[in-house]
Amino acid sequence: MIFILILCCGAEMAIGQEIVGDTLPQTANTAAVTPSAAVSDDAQEAAAQAYRGQDYKESITLYEELIAQGMAEDRVSAQLYYNLGNAYFRDNQLGKAILCYERALLLDPGDGDIRHNLRFAQNRTVDRIDTAADLFLANWFRGVRNVFSSNQWAVTGIIFFILFLVCVAVYLFIRLLWARKTAFYAGIVLFLLMITANIFAFSQKSERTRRDSAIVMVGAATVNTSPDTSSNQLFELHEGTKVKIRNRDGNWFEIQIPDGSVGWIQQQDVEVI
């Protein structure tokens, strides 16, 4: 029963797989797609054409419409967020560009282009905050986990589960000693790999649904000691800086920055990733 539950959980996560398009989308063959898909492909091509023509505001408008349409249809595209981030960056809207890159990275953490552009944009921010030292195991866990998306890890877990069942069948029904030994030890390895893949999948999905990080969207935002404009100012953050949300109180967020400092910031000054 435990194995069946694991398989069902992994399958449920695979159902929510993101739709990822090309960096510069090409018009699809309308004879092979539905009318709504053809319209979407035309809109993606129009957005890409506007970007290539350096009409970044038009490109932004079109990509935002595509993303809104995808959200209405319960489809979220990492590549659309990536392309929108590129358009925002070219239009000198640094905070929105970083926000889009972060959202794209949540959906597809293994994409090297997204990571590269995010780092490039972060180098343009004003704030230079030292990062508190993390445990080696925590860094290793995140590094391996982010090789694939949650859906890819879920599918990988299902594959390991099927191979594990094959090993169980060989162990139970094959009488050759060497085959049973091989199936026994291979089954142990596959079981551990299956558990690991599901842990990575659930960890990524949990991070995506928690929504406990935000990007500063204004030129300069004050961080106070308490959720009150009359309280003492601790420090100031600038556009594009990423913060972690610890708590909420009305129109205020209690946030933490990478060096461990904590304070309160007005909700209107940040946007949740």
PDB file of all heavy atoms in Angstrom, residues 18 20-21 23 77-86 97-122 149:
ATOM      1  N   GLU A  18       4.036  21.890 -16.207  1.00  0.00           N
ATOM      2  CA  GLU A  18       4.012  23.177 -16.868  1.00  0.00           C
ATOM      3  C   GLU A  18       4.145  23.015 -18.370  1.00  0.00           C
ATOM      4  O   GLU A  18       4.736  22.072 -18.847  1.00  0.00           O
ATOM      5  CB  GLU A  18       5.158  24.074 -16.443  1.00  0.00           C
ATOM      6  CG  GLU A  18       5.677  24.147 -15.093  1.00  0.00           C
ATOM      7  CD  GLU A  18       6.429  23.039 -14.507  1.00  0.00           C
ATOM      8  OE1 GLU A  18       7.613  22.856 -14.806  1.00  0.00           O
ATOM      9  OE2 GLU A  18       5.840  22.370 -13.703  1.00  0.00           O
ATOM     10  N   VAL A  20       5.952  24.456 -21.549  1.00  0.00           N
ATOM     11  CA  VAL A  20       7.139  25.241 -21.858  1.00  0.00           C
ATOM     12  C   VAL A  20       7.269  25.372 -23.359  1.00  0.00           C
ATOM     13  O   VAL A  20       7.249  24.380 -24.075  1.00  0.00           O
ATOM     14  CB  VAL A  20       8.404  24.581 -21.272  1.00  0.00           C
ATOM     15  CG1 VAL A  20       9.636  25.394 -21.605  1.00  0.00           C
ATOM     16  CG2 VAL A  20       8.259  24.442 -19.764  1.00  0.00           C
ATOM     17  N   GLY A  21       7.428  26.603 -23.816  1.00  0.00           N
ATOM     18  CA  GLY A  21       7.561  26.851 -25.237  1.00  0.00           C
ATOM     19  C   GLY A  21       8.983  27.185 -25.596  1.00  0.00           C
ATOM     20  O   GLY A  21       9.893  27.092 -24.785  1.00  0.00           O
ATOM     21  N   THR A  23      12.167  29.691 -26.698  1.00  0.00           N
ATOM     22  CA  THR A  23      12.576  31.017 -26.279  1.00  0.00           C
ATOM     23  C   THR A  23      12.037  32.071 -27.225  1.00  0.00           C
ATOM     24  O   THR A  23      11.531  33.103 -26.804  1.00  0.00           O
ATOM     25  CB  THR A  23      14.111  31.093 -26.227  1.00  0.00           C
ATOM     26  OG1 THR A  23      14.592  30.066 -25.370  1.00  0.00           O
ATOM     27  CG2 THR A  23      14.572  32.430 -25.704  1.00  0.00           C
ATOM     28  N   SER A  77       3.661  28.801 -17.773  1.00  0.00           N
ATOM     29  CA  SER A  77       4.810  28.557 -18.631  1.00  0.00           C
ATOM     30  C   SER A  77       6.052  29.250 -18.102  1.00  0.00           C
ATOM     31  O   SER A  77       6.082  30.479 -17.965  1.00  0.00           O
ATOM     32  CB  SER A  77       4.517  29.050 -20.055  1.00  0.00           C
ATOM     33  OG  SER A  77       5.688  29.058 -20.840  1.00  0.00           O
ATOM     34  N   ALA A  78       7.080  28.476 -17.809  1.00  0.00           N
ATOM     35  CA  ALA A  78       8.359  29.050 -17.387  1.00  0.00           C
ATOM     36  C   ALA A  78       8.969  29.885 -18.503  1.00  0.00           C
ATOM     37  O   ALA A  78       9.555  30.944 -18.264  1.00  0.00           O
ATOM     38  CB  ALA A  78       9.324  27.931 -16.974  1.00  0.00           C
ATOM     39  N   GLN A  79       8.813  29.411 -19.739  1.00  0.00           N
ATOM     40  CA  GLN A  79       9.443  30.116 -20.855  1.00  0.00           C
ATOM     41  C   GLN A  79       8.795  31.458 -21.129  1.00  0.00           C
ATOM     42  O   GLN A  79       9.467  32.415 -21.517  1.00  0.00           O
ATOM     43  CB  GLN A  79       9.407  29.240 -22.112  1.00  0.00           C
ATOM     44  CG  GLN A  79      10.495  29.564 -23.111  1.00  0.00           C
ATOM     45  CD  GLN A  79      11.882  29.303 -22.543  1.00  0.00           C
ATOM     46  OE1 GLN A  79      12.108  28.267 -21.927  1.00  0.00           O
ATOM     47  NE2 GLN A  79      12.782  30.245 -22.727  1.00  0.00           N
ATOM     48  N   LEU A  80       7.485  31.561 -20.925  1.00  0.00           N
ATOM     49  CA  LEU A  80       6.823  32.853 -21.103  1.00  0.00           C
ATOM     50  C   LEU A  80       7.297  33.857 -20.055  1.00  0.00           C
ATOM     51  O   LEU A  80       7.519  35.035 -20.360  1.00  0.00           O
ATOM     52  CB  LEU A  80       5.303  32.689 -21.045  1.00  0.00           C
ATOM     53  CG  LEU A  80       4.629  32.075 -22.272  1.00  0.00           C
ATOM     54  CD1 LEU A  80       3.133  31.949 -22.058  1.00  0.00           C
ATOM     55  CD2 LEU A  80       4.920  32.884 -23.523  1.00  0.00           C
ATOM     56  N   TYR A  81       7.430  33.406 -18.822  1.00  0.00           N
ATOM     57  CA  TYR A  81       7.965  34.290 -17.775  1.00  0.00           C
ATOM     58  C   TYR A  81       9.397  34.716 -18.108  1.00  0.00           C
ATOM     59  O   TYR A  81       9.794  35.866 -17.884  1.00  0.00           O
ATOM     60  CB  TYR A  81       7.939  33.596 -16.413  1.00  0.00           C
ATOM     61  CG  TYR A  81       6.629  33.724 -15.678  1.00  0.00           C
ATOM     62  CD1 TYR A  81       5.902  32.596 -15.300  1.00  0.00           C
ATOM     63  CD2 TYR A  81       6.111  34.970 -15.356  1.00  0.00           C
ATOM     64  CE1 TYR A  81       4.695  32.703 -14.627  1.00  0.00           C
ATOM     65  CE2 TYR A  81       4.905  35.097 -14.676  1.00  0.00           C
ATOM     66  CZ  TYR A  81       4.209  33.963 -14.313  1.00  0.00           C
ATOM     67  OH  TYR A  81       3.009  34.079 -13.643  1.00  0.00           O
ATOM     68  N   TYR A  82      10.174  33.781 -18.653  1.00  0.00           N
ATOM     69  CA  TYR A  82      11.549  34.079 -19.043  1.00  0.00           C
ATOM     70  C   TYR A  82      11.584  35.145 -20.140  1.00  0.00           C
ATOM     71  O   TYR A  82      12.335  36.123 -20.069  1.00  0.00           O
ATOM     72  CB  TYR A  82      12.226  32.799 -19.514  1.00  0.00           C
ATOM     73  CG  TYR A  82      13.577  32.971 -20.160  1.00  0.00           C
ATOM     74  CD1 TYR A  82      14.695  33.322 -19.406  1.00  0.00           C
ATOM     75  CD2 TYR A  82      13.739  32.771 -21.527  1.00  0.00           C
ATOM     76  CE1 TYR A  82      15.942  33.474 -20.000  1.00  0.00           C
ATOM     77  CE2 TYR A  82      14.976  32.911 -22.128  1.00  0.00           C
ATOM     78  CZ  TYR A  82      16.073  33.264 -21.357  1.00  0.00           C
ATOM     79  OH  TYR A  82      17.299  33.417 -21.955  1.00  0.00           O
ATOM     80  N   ASN A  83      10.740  34.972 -21.151  1.00  0.00           N
ATOM     81  CA  ASN A  83      10.688  35.940 -22.241  1.00  0.00           C
ATOM     82  C   ASN A  83      10.177  37.295 -21.762  1.00  0.00           C
ATOM     83  O   ASN A  83      10.664  38.342 -22.193  1.00  0.00           O
ATOM     84  CB  ASN A  83       9.809  35.414 -23.377  1.00  0.00           C
ATOM     85  CG  ASN A  83      10.440  34.244 -24.105  1.00  0.00           C
ATOM     86  OD1 ASN A  83      11.648  34.066 -24.070  1.00  0.00           O
ATOM     87  ND2 ASN A  83       9.625  33.434 -24.749  1.00  0.00           N
ATOM     88  N   LEU A  84       9.190  37.277 -20.873  1.00  0.00           N
ATOM     89  CA  LEU A  84       8.683  38.527 -20.318  1.00  0.00           C
ATOM     90  C   LEU A  84       9.767  39.228 -19.502  1.00  0.00           C
ATOM     91  O   LEU A  84       9.907  40.455 -19.560  1.00  0.00           O
ATOM     92  CB  LEU A  84       7.451  38.246 -19.449  1.00  0.00           C
ATOM     93  CG  LEU A  84       6.827  39.459 -18.746  1.00  0.00           C
ATOM     94  CD1 LEU A  84       6.407  40.524 -19.757  1.00  0.00           C
ATOM     95  CD2 LEU A  84       5.635  39.026 -17.884  1.00  0.00           C
ATOM     96  N   GLY A  85      10.540  38.440 -18.754  1.00  0.00           N
ATOM     97  CA  GLY A  85      11.650  39.023 -17.997  1.00  0.00           C
ATOM     98  C   GLY A  85      12.674  39.685 -18.908  1.00  0.00           C
ATOM     99  O   GLY A  85      13.193  40.766 -18.614  1.00  0.00           O
ATOM    100  N   ASN A  86      12.957  39.047 -20.051  1.00  0.00           N
ATOM    101  CA  ASN A  86      13.884  39.648 -21.016  1.00  0.00           C
ATOM    102  C   ASN A  86      13.361  40.984 -21.528  1.00  0.00           C
ATOM    103  O   ASN A  86      14.115  41.958 -21.664  1.00  0.00           O
ATOM    104  CB  ASN A  86      14.106  38.700 -22.192  1.00  0.00           C
ATOM    105  CG  ASN A  86      14.924  37.473 -21.806  1.00  0.00           C
ATOM    106  OD1 ASN A  86      15.644  37.481 -20.809  1.00  0.00           O
ATOM    107  ND2 ASN A  86      14.817  36.424 -22.590  1.00  0.00           N
ATOM    108  N   ALA A  97      11.775  42.539 -14.132  1.00  0.00           N
ATOM    109  CA  ALA A  97      12.561  41.531 -14.843  1.00  0.00           C
ATOM    110  C   ALA A  97      13.011  40.431 -13.890  1.00  0.00           C
ATOM    111  O   ALA A  97      12.862  39.239 -14.181  1.00  0.00           O
ATOM    112  CB  ALA A  97      13.772  42.187 -15.506  1.00  0.00           C
ATOM    113  N   ILE A  98      13.550  40.825 -12.736  1.00  0.00           N
ATOM    114  CA  ILE A  98      14.005  39.833 -11.752  1.00  0.00           C
ATOM    115  C   ILE A  98      12.826  39.018 -11.237  1.00  0.00           C
ATOM    116  O   ILE A  98      12.937  37.795 -11.037  1.00  0.00           O
ATOM    117  CB  ILE A  98      14.749  40.533 -10.601  1.00  0.00           C
ATOM    118  CG1 ILE A  98      16.079  41.113 -11.122  1.00  0.00           C
ATOM    119  CG2 ILE A  98      14.993  39.586  -9.436  1.00  0.00           C
ATOM    120  CD1 ILE A  98      16.853  41.912 -10.096  1.00  0.00           C
ATOM    121  N   LEU A  99      11.686  39.660 -11.016  1.00  0.00           N
ATOM    122  CA  LEU A  99      10.492  38.945 -10.566  1.00  0.00           C
ATOM    123  C   LEU A  99      10.106  37.853 -11.564  1.00  0.00           C
ATOM    124  O   LEU A  99       9.821  36.714 -11.177  1.00  0.00           O
ATOM    125  CB  LEU A  99       9.338  39.935 -10.391  1.00  0.00           C
ATOM    126  CG  LEU A  99       7.991  39.323  -9.989  1.00  0.00           C
ATOM    127  CD1 LEU A  99       8.046  38.807  -8.558  1.00  0.00           C
ATOM    128  CD2 LEU A  99       6.871  40.364 -10.137  1.00  0.00           C
ATOM    129  N   CYS A 100      10.117  38.184 -12.847  1.00  0.00           N
ATOM    130  CA  CYS A 100       9.750  37.198 -13.873  1.00  0.00           C
ATOM    131  C   CYS A 100      10.776  36.072 -13.957  1.00  0.00           C
ATOM    132  O   CYS A 100      10.411  34.904 -14.106  1.00  0.00           O
ATOM    133  CB  CYS A 100       9.610  37.881 -15.226  1.00  0.00           C
ATOM    134  SG  CYS A 100       8.167  38.965 -15.347  1.00  0.00           S
ATOM    135  N   TYR A 101      12.061  36.414 -13.869  1.00  0.00           N
ATOM    136  CA  TYR A 101      13.091  35.367 -13.888  1.00  0.00           C
ATOM    137  C   TYR A 101      12.927  34.433 -12.688  1.00  0.00           C
ATOM    138  O   TYR A 101      13.084  33.210 -12.823  1.00  0.00           O
ATOM    139  CB  TYR A 101      14.485  35.991 -13.860  1.00  0.00           C
ATOM    140  CG  TYR A 101      14.885  36.711 -15.127  1.00  0.00           C
ATOM    141  CD1 TYR A 101      15.687  37.854 -15.082  1.00  0.00           C
ATOM    142  CD2 TYR A 101      14.493  36.248 -16.383  1.00  0.00           C
ATOM    143  CE1 TYR A 101      16.066  38.521 -16.246  1.00  0.00           C
ATOM    144  CE2 TYR A 101      14.859  36.905 -17.538  1.00  0.00           C
ATOM    145  CZ  TYR A 101      15.654  38.039 -17.470  1.00  0.00           C
ATOM    146  OH  TYR A 101      16.028  38.689 -18.609  1.00  0.00           O
ATOM    147  N   GLU A 102      12.621  34.986 -11.518  1.00  0.00           N
ATOM    148  CA  GLU A 102      12.433  34.155 -10.326  1.00  0.00           C
ATOM    149  C   GLU A 102      11.221  33.235 -10.487  1.00  0.00           C
ATOM    150  O   GLU A 102      11.262  32.070 -10.088  1.00  0.00           O
ATOM    151  CB  GLU A 102      12.260  35.040  -9.083  1.00  0.00           C
ATOM    152  CG  GLU A 102      13.515  35.778  -8.633  1.00  0.00           C
ATOM    153  CD  GLU A 102      14.488  34.896  -7.865  1.00  0.00           C
ATOM    154  OE1 GLU A 102      14.213  33.685  -7.721  1.00  0.00           O
ATOM    155  OE2 GLU A 102      15.512  35.421  -7.409  1.00  0.00           O
ATOM    156  N   ARG A 103      10.156  33.754 -11.061  1.00  0.00           N
ATOM    157  CA  ARG A 103       8.977  32.915 -11.278  1.00  0.00           C
ATOM    158  C   ARG A 103       9.268  31.821 -12.293  1.00  0.00           C
ATOM    159  O   ARG A 103       8.815  30.678 -12.140  1.00  0.00           O
ATOM    160  CB  ARG A 103       7.809  33.792 -11.745  1.00  0.00           C
ATOM    161  CG  ARG A 103       7.207  34.631 -10.623  1.00  0.00           C
ATOM    162  CD  ARG A 103       6.143  35.603 -11.117  1.00  0.00           C
ATOM    163  NE  ARG A 103       5.491  36.264  -9.981  1.00  0.00           N
ATOM    164  CZ  ARG A 103       4.637  37.282 -10.090  1.00  0.00           C
ATOM    165  NH1 ARG A 103       4.321  37.739 -11.301  1.00  0.00           N
ATOM    166  NH2 ARG A 103       4.097  37.815  -9.021  1.00  0.00           N
ATOM    167  N   ALA A 104      10.035  32.166 -13.327  1.00  0.00           N
ATOM    168  CA  ALA A 104      10.412  31.156 -14.318  1.00  0.00           C
ATOM    169  C   ALA A 104      11.279  30.085 -13.674  1.00  0.00           C
ATOM    170  O   ALA A 104      11.130  28.889 -13.959  1.00  0.00           O
ATOM    171  CB  ALA A 104      11.153  31.818 -15.480  1.00  0.00           C
ATOM    172  N   LEU A 105      12.175  30.498 -12.782  1.00  0.00           N
ATOM    173  CA  LEU A 105      13.082  29.549 -12.143  1.00  0.00           C
ATOM    174  C   LEU A 105      12.341  28.610 -11.205  1.00  0.00           C
ATOM    175  O   LEU A 105      12.725  27.443 -11.053  1.00  0.00           O
ATOM    176  CB  LEU A 105      14.173  30.314 -11.386  1.00  0.00           C
ATOM    177  CG  LEU A 105      15.427  29.521 -11.022  1.00  0.00           C
ATOM    178  CD1 LEU A 105      16.158  29.052 -12.267  1.00  0.00           C
ATOM    179  CD2 LEU A 105      16.357  30.369 -10.161  1.00  0.00           C
ATOM    180  N   LEU A 106      11.293  29.094 -10.559  1.00  0.00           N
ATOM    181  CA  LEU A 106      10.489  28.222  -9.713  1.00  0.00           C
ATOM    182  C   LEU A 106       9.857  27.098 -10.531  1.00  0.00           C
ATOM    183  O   LEU A 106       9.736  25.967 -10.064  1.00  0.00           O
ATOM    184  CB  LEU A 106       9.386  29.022  -9.016  1.00  0.00           C
ATOM    185  CG  LEU A 106       9.737  29.731  -7.715  1.00  0.00           C
ATOM    186  CD1 LEU A 106       8.521  30.483  -7.185  1.00  0.00           C
ATOM    187  CD2 LEU A 106      10.248  28.760  -6.661  1.00  0.00           C
ATOM    188  N   LEU A 107       9.453  27.427 -11.760  1.00  0.00           N
ATOM    189  CA  LEU A 107       8.797  26.439 -12.607  1.00  0.00           C
ATOM    190  C   LEU A 107       9.788  25.507 -13.288  1.00  0.00           C
ATOM    191  O   LEU A 107       9.479  24.352 -13.560  1.00  0.00           O
ATOM    192  CB  LEU A 107       7.948  27.146 -13.668  1.00  0.00           C
ATOM    193  CG  LEU A 107       6.776  27.970 -13.127  1.00  0.00           C
ATOM    194  CD1 LEU A 107       6.151  28.796 -14.249  1.00  0.00           C
ATOM    195  CD2 LEU A 107       5.735  27.077 -12.481  1.00  0.00           C
ATOM    196  N   ASP A 108      10.983  26.024 -13.592  1.00  0.00           N
ATOM    197  CA  ASP A 108      11.986  25.215 -14.298  1.00  0.00           C
ATOM    198  C   ASP A 108      13.369  25.514 -13.712  1.00  0.00           C
ATOM    199  O   ASP A 108      14.175  26.216 -14.324  1.00  0.00           O
ATOM    200  CB  ASP A 108      11.960  25.520 -15.797  1.00  0.00           C
ATOM    201  CG  ASP A 108      12.778  24.528 -16.608  1.00  0.00           C
ATOM    202  OD1 ASP A 108      13.320  23.568 -16.012  1.00  0.00           O
ATOM    203  OD2 ASP A 108      12.882  24.698 -17.832  1.00  0.00           O
ATOM    204  N   PRO A 109      13.655  24.990 -12.512  1.00  0.00           N
ATOM    205  CA  PRO A 109      14.907  25.334 -11.820  1.00  0.00           C
ATOM    206  C   PRO A 109      16.165  24.808 -12.495  1.00  0.00           C
ATOM    207  O   PRO A 109      17.266  25.259 -12.172  1.00  0.00           O
ATOM    208  CB  PRO A 109      14.727  24.692 -10.432  1.00  0.00           C
ATOM    209  CG  PRO A 109      13.751  23.586 -10.654  1.00  0.00           C
ATOM    210  CD  PRO A 109      12.819  24.077 -11.722  1.00  0.00           C
ATOM    211  N   GLY A 110      16.022  23.880 -13.436  1.00  0.00           N
ATOM    212  CA  GLY A 110      17.196  23.341 -14.098  1.00  0.00           C
ATOM    213  C   GLY A 110      17.604  24.091 -15.352  1.00  0.00           C
ATOM    214  O   GLY A 110      18.599  23.735 -15.984  1.00  0.00           O
ATOM    215  N   ASP A 111      16.882  25.150 -15.721  1.00  0.00           N
ATOM    216  CA  ASP A 111      17.156  25.882 -16.956  1.00  0.00           C
ATOM    217  C   ASP A 111      18.348  26.818 -16.759  1.00  0.00           C
ATOM    218  O   ASP A 111      18.271  27.785 -16.003  1.00  0.00           O
ATOM    219  CB  ASP A 111      15.921  26.670 -17.383  1.00  0.00           C
ATOM    220  CG  ASP A 111      16.045  27.230 -18.789  1.00  0.00           C
ATOM    221  OD1 ASP A 111      16.966  28.028 -19.030  1.00  0.00           O
ATOM    222  OD2 ASP A 111      15.222  26.871 -19.649  1.00  0.00           O
ATOM    223  N   GLY A 112      19.438  26.569 -17.474  1.00  0.00           N
ATOM    224  CA  GLY A 112      20.646  27.371 -17.340  1.00  0.00           C
ATOM    225  C   GLY A 112      20.485  28.784 -17.861  1.00  0.00           C
ATOM    226  O   GLY A 112      21.084  29.725 -17.302  1.00  0.00           O
ATOM    227  N   ASP A 113      19.671  28.989 -18.913  1.00  0.00           N
ATOM    228  CA  ASP A 113      19.468  30.332 -19.455  1.00  0.00           C
ATOM    229  C   ASP A 113      18.770  31.228 -18.445  1.00  0.00           C
ATOM    230  O   ASP A 113      19.116  32.409 -18.294  1.00  0.00           O
ATOM    231  CB  ASP A 113      18.644  30.257 -20.743  1.00  0.00           C
ATOM    232  CG  ASP A 113      19.415  29.634 -21.891  1.00  0.00           C
ATOM    233  OD1 ASP A 113      20.667  29.688 -21.861  1.00  0.00           O
ATOM    234  OD2 ASP A 113      18.790  29.085 -22.809  1.00  0.00           O
ATOM    235  N   ILE A 114      17.769  30.682 -17.758  1.00  0.00           N
ATOM    236  CA  ILE A 114      17.054  31.467 -16.752  1.00  0.00           C
ATOM    237  C   ILE A 114      18.003  31.875 -15.635  1.00  0.00           C
ATOM    238  O   ILE A 114      18.032  33.039 -15.209  1.00  0.00           O
ATOM    239  CB  ILE A 114      15.865  30.669 -16.184  1.00  0.00           C
ATOM    240  CG1 ILE A 114      14.844  30.360 -17.282  1.00  0.00           C
ATOM    241  CG2 ILE A 114      15.195  31.442 -15.053  1.00  0.00           C
ATOM    242  CD1 ILE A 114      13.727  29.441 -16.849  1.00  0.00           C
ATOM    243  N   ARG A 115      18.811  30.932 -15.145  1.00  0.00           N
ATOM    244  CA  ARG A 115      19.753  31.226 -14.073  1.00  0.00           C
ATOM    245  C   ARG A 115      20.766  32.283 -14.512  1.00  0.00           C
ATOM    246  O   ARG A 115      21.106  33.194 -13.745  1.00  0.00           O
ATOM    247  CB  ARG A 115      20.483  29.951 -13.644  1.00  0.00           C
ATOM    248  CG  ARG A 115      19.601  28.985 -12.876  1.00  0.00           C
ATOM    249  CD  ARG A 115      20.402  27.828 -12.300  1.00  0.00           C
ATOM    250  NE  ARG A 115      19.550  27.006 -11.482  1.00  0.00           N
ATOM    251  CZ  ARG A 115      19.255  27.265 -10.217  1.00  0.00           C
ATOM    252  NH1 ARG A 115      19.743  28.346  -9.636  1.00  0.00           N
ATOM    253  NH2 ARG A 115      18.465  26.460  -9.529  1.00  0.00           N
ATOM    254  N   HIS A 116      21.258  32.168 -15.741  1.00  0.00           N
ATOM    255  CA  HIS A 116      22.251  33.122 -16.240  1.00  0.00           C
ATOM    256  C   HIS A 116      21.666  34.534 -16.297  1.00  0.00           C
ATOM    257  O   HIS A 116      22.284  35.505 -15.825  1.00  0.00           O
ATOM    258  CB  HIS A 116      22.738  32.695 -17.619  1.00  0.00           C
ATOM    259  CG  HIS A 116      23.666  33.672 -18.259  1.00  0.00           C
ATOM    260  ND1 HIS A 116      23.214  34.722 -19.035  1.00  0.00           N
ATOM    261  CD2 HIS A 116      25.022  33.797 -18.219  1.00  0.00           C
ATOM    262  CE1 HIS A 116      24.246  35.434 -19.453  1.00  0.00           C
ATOM    263  NE2 HIS A 116      25.348  34.885 -18.982  1.00  0.00           N
ATOM    264  N   ASN A 117      20.467  34.670 -16.870  1.00  0.00           N
ATOM    265  CA  ASN A 117      19.863  35.988 -16.985  1.00  0.00           C
ATOM    266  C   ASN A 117      19.483  36.572 -15.629  1.00  0.00           C
ATOM    267  O   ASN A 117      19.567  37.785 -15.420  1.00  0.00           O
ATOM    268  CB  ASN A 117      18.633  35.927 -17.893  1.00  0.00           C
ATOM    269  CG  ASN A 117      19.011  35.817 -19.360  1.00  0.00           C
ATOM    270  OD1 ASN A 117      20.138  35.450 -19.687  1.00  0.00           O
ATOM    271  ND2 ASN A 117      18.081  36.114 -20.241  1.00  0.00           N
ATOM    272  N   LEU A 118      19.059  35.692 -14.699  1.00  0.00           N
ATOM    273  CA  LEU A 118      18.743  36.163 -13.356  1.00  0.00           C
ATOM    274  C   LEU A 118      19.987  36.718 -12.671  1.00  0.00           C
ATOM    275  O   LEU A 118      19.953  37.802 -12.073  1.00  0.00           O
ATOM    276  CB  LEU A 118      18.132  35.028 -12.529  1.00  0.00           C
ATOM    277  CG  LEU A 118      17.855  35.349 -11.051  1.00  0.00           C
ATOM    278  CD1 LEU A 118      16.895  36.524 -10.930  1.00  0.00           C
ATOM    279  CD2 LEU A 118      17.292  34.122 -10.337  1.00  0.00           C
ATOM    280  N   ARG A 119      21.095  35.996 -12.755  1.00  0.00           N
ATOM    281  CA  ARG A 119      22.336  36.490 -12.147  1.00  0.00           C
ATOM    282  C   ARG A 119      22.778  37.799 -12.794  1.00  0.00           C
ATOM    283  O   ARG A 119      23.244  38.716 -12.106  1.00  0.00           O
ATOM    284  CB  ARG A 119      23.442  35.436 -12.272  1.00  0.00           C
ATOM    285  CG  ARG A 119      23.294  34.259 -11.325  1.00  0.00           C
ATOM    286  CD  ARG A 119      24.581  33.452 -11.261  1.00  0.00           C
ATOM    287  NE  ARG A 119      24.918  32.873 -12.554  1.00  0.00           N
ATOM    288  CZ  ARG A 119      24.556  31.669 -12.944  1.00  0.00           C
ATOM    289  NH1 ARG A 119      23.828  30.893 -12.140  1.00  0.00           N
ATOM    290  NH2 ARG A 119      24.917  31.194 -14.123  1.00  0.00           N
ATOM    291  N   PHE A 120      22.630  37.877 -14.108  1.00  0.00           N
ATOM    292  CA  PHE A 120      23.024  39.088 -14.828  1.00  0.00           C
ATOM    293  C   PHE A 120      22.191  40.277 -14.355  1.00  0.00           C
ATOM    294  O   PHE A 120      22.721  41.377 -14.133  1.00  0.00           O
ATOM    295  CB  PHE A 120      22.848  38.881 -16.332  1.00  0.00           C
ATOM    296  CG  PHE A 120      23.415  39.980 -17.173  1.00  0.00           C
ATOM    297  CD1 PHE A 120      24.765  40.011 -17.480  1.00  0.00           C
ATOM    298  CD2 PHE A 120      22.602  40.997 -17.664  1.00  0.00           C
ATOM    299  CE1 PHE A 120      25.301  41.026 -18.257  1.00  0.00           C
ATOM    300  CE2 PHE A 120      23.124  42.011 -18.440  1.00  0.00           C
ATOM    301  CZ  PHE A 120      24.474  42.030 -18.733  1.00  0.00           C
ATOM    302  N   ALA A 121      20.880  40.061 -14.190  1.00  0.00           N
ATOM    303  CA  ALA A 121      20.008  41.141 -13.725  1.00  0.00           C
ATOM    304  C   ALA A 121      20.309  41.505 -12.274  1.00  0.00           C
ATOM    305  O   ALA A 121      20.302  42.691 -11.910  1.00  0.00           O
ATOM    306  CB  ALA A 121      18.544  40.722 -13.878  1.00  0.00           C
ATOM    307  N   GLN A 122      20.571  40.510 -11.447  1.00  0.00           N
ATOM    308  CA  GLN A 122      20.875  40.785 -10.038  1.00  0.00           C
ATOM    309  C   GLN A 122      22.155  41.604  -9.883  1.00  0.00           C
ATOM    310  O   GLN A 122      22.286  42.361  -8.925  1.00  0.00           O
ATOM    311  CB  GLN A 122      20.981  39.471  -9.263  1.00  0.00           C
ATOM    312  CG  GLN A 122      19.639  38.788  -9.043  1.00  0.00           C
ATOM    313  CD  GLN A 122      19.770  37.406  -8.443  1.00  0.00           C
ATOM    314  OE1 GLN A 122      20.800  36.723  -8.615  1.00  0.00           O
ATOM    315  NE2 GLN A 122      18.753  36.943  -7.752  1.00  0.00           N
ATOM    316  N   SER A 149      12.787  19.843 -12.601  1.00  0.00           N
ATOM    317  CA  SER A 149      11.586  20.442 -12.017  1.00  0.00           C
ATOM    318  C   SER A 149      10.859  19.400 -11.169  1.00  0.00           C
ATOM    319  O   SER A 149      11.166  18.199 -11.220  1.00  0.00           O
ATOM    320  CB  SER A 149      10.664  20.953 -13.119  1.00  0.00           C
ATOM    321  OG  SER A 149      10.130  19.865 -13.859  1.00  0.00           O
TER     322      SER A 149
END
